[in-house]
Amino acid sequence: MEAIDVDTHVNRVESLKLGIAAKEKARDRAQVRLLELHETIRDGRQPDGNDIAQALLADGKLPPIPDDLAREKDQLVVGIGALNRQINDGYLPLRRPWDKLRQEMGQAGEPLLDDLYRQAQEAIAQVEQIYATVVSLSLIMQTGKIDALRRLSGTMLAGGREFRRFFEFATPIEVDQTILALNDLPALKAMRRQIRETVDPPSQLQMDRDGL
């Protein structure tokens, strides 16, 4: 990630900002000129009374507004509208100015992410083993620690199964051989209990029913 050319991304953002600033400056100048034209045209529509009287005596027509002023006003209105659209479009990439840099960082960080995925998968397998073990032991043991471990590991697995398209979850979960060996104990024979070789993964409904 240290080899990424950050200057390219910084310069791109600065270029966007400069482009927007130039267009805003041009728009502001145009708006000042447009206001001047409005005033000039308005004044032309309110000429001196004597001039109006003279025009009426001559041919009954008022002095026309110069066409070049009206055309300039129309051009300014269109140009200001285009500048506003360009300015708005220019701000869009500045809402998330570092997306391209973050994408490049993500590509460079793939090895790190792959290692984290591997660790997460190993952690899932460990939680699955804890769950399978405590579920099996709950058949032959009665203690608060068993319940806490079962609920904790069960909740983690039930919620985590939403990410099945990213990680592998065992179905069913195999019980460790050292736990299965407890089936030979006299206590289990006396209770007529048998630890199964596999345990079904927990569901969120099951966890909710257990009071979580």
Side-chain angles (χ1 to χ4, degrees):
M1 286 185 278
E2 293 178 353
I4 292 176
D5 184 6
V6 179
D7 288 342
T8 298
H9 298 279
V10 173
N11 292 338
R12 172 180 165 274
V13 171
E14 290 302 317
S15 177
L16 288 171
K17 291 179 179 179
L18 289 174
I20 291 173
K23 291 172 183 176
E24 288 177 335
K25 187 175 181 179
R27 180 196 59 190
D28 293 343
R29 286 197 305 266
Q31 287 175 331
V32 170
R33 176 56 182 162
L34 182 60
L35 181 60
E36 293 174 351
L37 286 174
H38 277 306
E39 293 175 349
T40 301
I41 293 172
R42 182 196 62 201
D43 293 343
R45 288 173 177 164
Q46 297 175 347
D48 183 84
N50 292 328
D51 292 339
I52 295 176
Q54 187 62 36
L56 293 173
L57 287 170
D59 55 13
K61 295 181 180 179
L62 295 177
I65 298 173
D67 289 339
D68 55 342
L69 294 182
R71 280 197 300 271
E72 184 181 356
K73 184 196 76 169
D74 292 340
Q75 291 172 347
L76 285 172
V77 170
V78 173
I80 290 171
L83 283 171
N84 279 330
R85 288 191 296 272
Q86 294 176 17
I87 290 168
N88 290 336
D89 291 343
Y91 272 114
L92 288 177
L94 289 180
R95 293 178 182 176
R96 301 172 65 93
W98 306 114
D99 276 2
K100 292 186 180 298
L101 177 57
R102 292 177 63 197
Q103 291 170 3
E104 196 169 340
M105 292 279 287
Q107 293 171 356
E110 280 292 330
L112 171 62
L113 296 175
D114 289 342
D115 185 59
L116 290 174
Y117 256 72
R118 179 189 57 78
Q119 293 181 44
Q121 187 63 64
E122 292 175 354
I124 290 171
Q126 291 176 349
V127 175
E128 286 176 334
Q129 279 303 304
I130 292 173
Y131 180 76
T133 297
V134 294
V135 166
S136 299
L137 294 179
S138 66
L139 297 173
I140 61 175
M141 296 180 183
Q142 186 173 347
T143 168
K145 289 183 178 180
I146 287 285
D147 290 339
L149 285 169
R150 180 178 59 81
R151 292 183 179 183
L152 173 62
S153 57
T155 301
M156 293 172 67
L157 292 177
R161 289 180 73 81
E162 296 181 13
F163 300 91
R164 286 192 297 272
R165 68 190 184 100
F166 299 106
F167 301 99
E168 295 180 4
F169 289 83
T171 306
I173 306 171
E174 294 185 358
V175 177
D176 190 88
Q177 290 296 320
T178 57
I179 302 300
L180 291 175
L182 298 177
N183 283 326
D184 295 331
L185 291 177
L188 272 72
K189 296 182 183 299
M191 290 186 291
R192 295 182 180 179
R193 296 286 176 88
Q194 189 76 13
I195 297 174
R196 296 183 302 160
E197 294 183 355
T198 61
V199 170
D200 292 332
S203 66
Q204 190 62 55
L205 179 62
Q206 177 185 347
M207 293 298 100
D208 293 340
R209 187 184 61 212
D210 287 347
L212 296 175

